[in-house]
Amino acid sequence: MKASLEEDREAYDRASPMSLIHPEAPPFFIVHGDRDTLVPVAEARRFAEDLRRTAPGPVVYAEIPGAQHAFEIFPSLRGELVLAGVERFWCSSTAGTSSLGKAAAP
Protein backbone atom coordinates (compact mmCIF):
# COMPACT_ATOMS: atom_id res chain seq x y z
CA MET A 1 0.00 0.00 0.00
CA LYS A 2 1.28 3.43 -0.85
CA ALA A 3 -0.46 5.09 2.07
CA SER A 4 -0.72 4.31 5.74
CA LEU A 5 -3.91 2.93 7.25
CA GLU A 6 -4.57 6.30 8.86
CA GLU A 7 -4.15 8.09 5.51
CA ASP A 8 -6.38 5.84 3.41
CA ARG A 9 -8.59 3.53 5.45
CA GLU A 10 -10.91 3.00 2.47
CA ALA A 11 -8.10 1.57 0.31
CA TYR A 12 -7.19 -0.88 3.07
CA ASP A 13 -10.83 -1.92 3.46
CA ARG A 14 -11.13 -2.54 -0.31
CA ALA A 15 -7.93 -4.62 -0.31
CA SER A 16 -9.06 -6.74 2.62
CA PRO A 17 -10.43 -10.23 1.94
CA MET A 18 -13.11 -9.38 4.51
CA SER A 19 -14.70 -7.17 1.81
CA LEU A 20 -15.38 -10.38 -0.18
CA ILE A 21 -17.79 -11.71 2.42
CA HIS A 22 -21.38 -11.42 1.22
CA PRO A 23 -24.41 -13.73 0.87
CA GLU A 24 -23.67 -14.45 -2.81
CA ALA A 25 -19.98 -15.30 -2.27
CA PRO A 26 -18.73 -18.25 -4.33
CA PRO A 27 -17.20 -21.38 -2.82
CA PHE A 28 -13.89 -20.64 -1.06
CA PHE A 29 -10.83 -22.77 -0.37
CA ILE A 30 -8.62 -20.83 2.03
CA VAL A 31 -4.99 -21.92 2.43
CA HIS A 32 -2.92 -20.35 5.18
CA GLY A 33 0.44 -21.21 6.70
CA ASP A 34 0.58 -21.46 10.47
CA ARG A 35 3.99 -19.69 10.42
CA ASP A 36 2.84 -16.74 8.30
CA THR A 37 4.57 -13.61 9.58
CA LEU A 38 2.76 -11.21 7.21
CA VAL A 39 -0.87 -12.16 7.89
CA PRO A 40 -1.59 -13.54 11.35
CA VAL A 41 -3.18 -16.97 11.30
CA ALA A 42 -5.96 -15.67 13.56
CA GLU A 43 -7.07 -13.34 10.75
CA ALA A 44 -7.36 -16.23 8.30
CA ARG A 45 -9.34 -18.27 10.81
CA ARG A 46 -11.69 -15.33 11.42
CA PHE A 47 -12.15 -14.82 7.68
CA ALA A 48 -13.12 -18.49 7.27
CA GLU A 49 -15.52 -18.37 10.22
CA ASP A 50 -17.20 -15.16 9.03
CA LEU A 51 -17.47 -16.49 5.49
CA ARG A 52 -19.05 -19.74 6.71
CA ARG A 53 -21.69 -17.75 8.61
CA THR A 54 -22.56 -15.62 5.57
CA ALA A 55 -21.94 -17.50 2.33
CA PRO A 56 -24.24 -20.29 1.16
CA GLY A 57 -21.54 -22.34 -0.57
CA PRO A 58 -18.77 -24.47 0.83
CA VAL A 59 -15.88 -22.85 2.69
CA VAL A 60 -12.80 -24.99 3.28
CA TYR A 61 -9.95 -23.78 5.48
CA ALA A 62 -6.58 -25.54 5.30
CA GLU A 63 -3.94 -24.43 7.77
CA ILE A 64 -0.59 -25.71 6.56
CA PRO A 65 1.83 -26.68 9.36
CA GLY A 66 5.20 -24.97 9.11
CA ALA A 67 4.21 -22.89 6.07
CA GLN A 68 5.17 -19.24 5.73
CA HIS A 69 3.37 -16.58 3.65
CA ALA A 70 3.65 -17.43 -0.09
CA PHE A 71 5.12 -20.85 0.73
CA GLU A 72 4.12 -22.13 -2.72
CA ILE A 73 6.51 -19.84 -4.63
CA PHE A 74 9.20 -22.51 -4.67
CA PRO A 75 8.18 -25.98 -5.86
CA SER A 76 7.79 -28.50 -3.07
CA LEU A 77 5.84 -31.63 -2.22
CA ARG A 78 3.76 -29.58 0.21
CA GLY A 79 2.87 -27.12 -2.55
CA GLU A 80 1.95 -29.94 -4.92
CA LEU A 81 -0.33 -31.53 -2.32
CA VAL A 82 -2.04 -28.21 -1.60
CA LEU A 83 -2.54 -27.66 -5.33
CA ALA A 84 -4.07 -31.13 -5.67
CA GLY A 85 -6.47 -30.34 -2.82
CA VAL A 86 -7.48 -27.03 -4.36
CA GLU A 87 -8.06 -28.73 -7.70
CA ARG A 88 -10.26 -31.40 -6.10
CA PHE A 89 -12.22 -28.70 -4.27
CA TRP A 90 -12.68 -26.71 -7.47
CA CYS A 91 -13.86 -29.73 -9.43
CA SER A 92 -16.32 -30.80 -6.74
CA SER A 93 -17.69 -27.31 -6.08
CA THR A 94 -18.18 -26.45 -9.75
CA ALA A 95 -19.63 -29.77 -10.93
CA GLY A 96 -22.73 -29.05 -12.99
CA THR A 97 -21.92 -25.38 -13.47
CA SER A 98 -20.74 -23.34 -16.44
CA SER A 99 -17.40 -21.55 -16.46
CA LEU A 100 -19.14 -18.54 -14.87
CA GLY A 101 -20.23 -20.58 -11.85
CA LYS A 102 -23.94 -20.54 -12.73
CA ALA A 103 -25.97 -23.69 -13.23
CA ALA A 104 -25.45 -25.13 -16.69
CA ALA A 105 -28.46 -25.32 -18.98
CA PRO A 106 -29.94 -28.83 -19.31
Side-chain angles (χ1 to χ4, degrees):
M1 302 293 286
K2 295 183 180 185
S4 69
L5 177 62
E6 293 78 26
E7 293 170 332
D8 196 350
R9 176 68 181 206
E10 188 176 319
Y12 278 79
D13 289 343
R14 282 193 315 271
S16 170
M18 299 302 267
S19 68
L20 300 174
I21 297 174
H22 58 84
E24 290 81 35
F28 266 77
F29 190 113
I30 303 157
V31 179
H32 200 89
D34 72 349
R35 308 270 182 187
D36 192 329
T37 56
L38 295 179
V39 178
V41 72
E43 288 186 27
R45 291 174 185 158
R46 180 175 156 229
F47 175 69
E49 290 169 10
D50 289 356
L51 193 56
R52 283 183 181 128
R53 279 195 294 272
T54 306
V59 175
V60 173
Y61 175 76
E63 194 167 291
I64 310 303
Q68 183 49 268
H69 193 85
F71 70 89
E72 79 290 351
I73 287 178
F74 300 107
S76 69
L77 178 58
R78 175 173 45 197
E80 291 296 317
L81 293 171
V82 168
L83 182 59
V86 170
E87 183 177 17
R88 287 179 66 188
F89 173 78
W90 173 256
C91 290
S92 68
S93 66
T94 60
T97 61
S98 71
S99 61
L100 297 175
K102 301 196 189 282

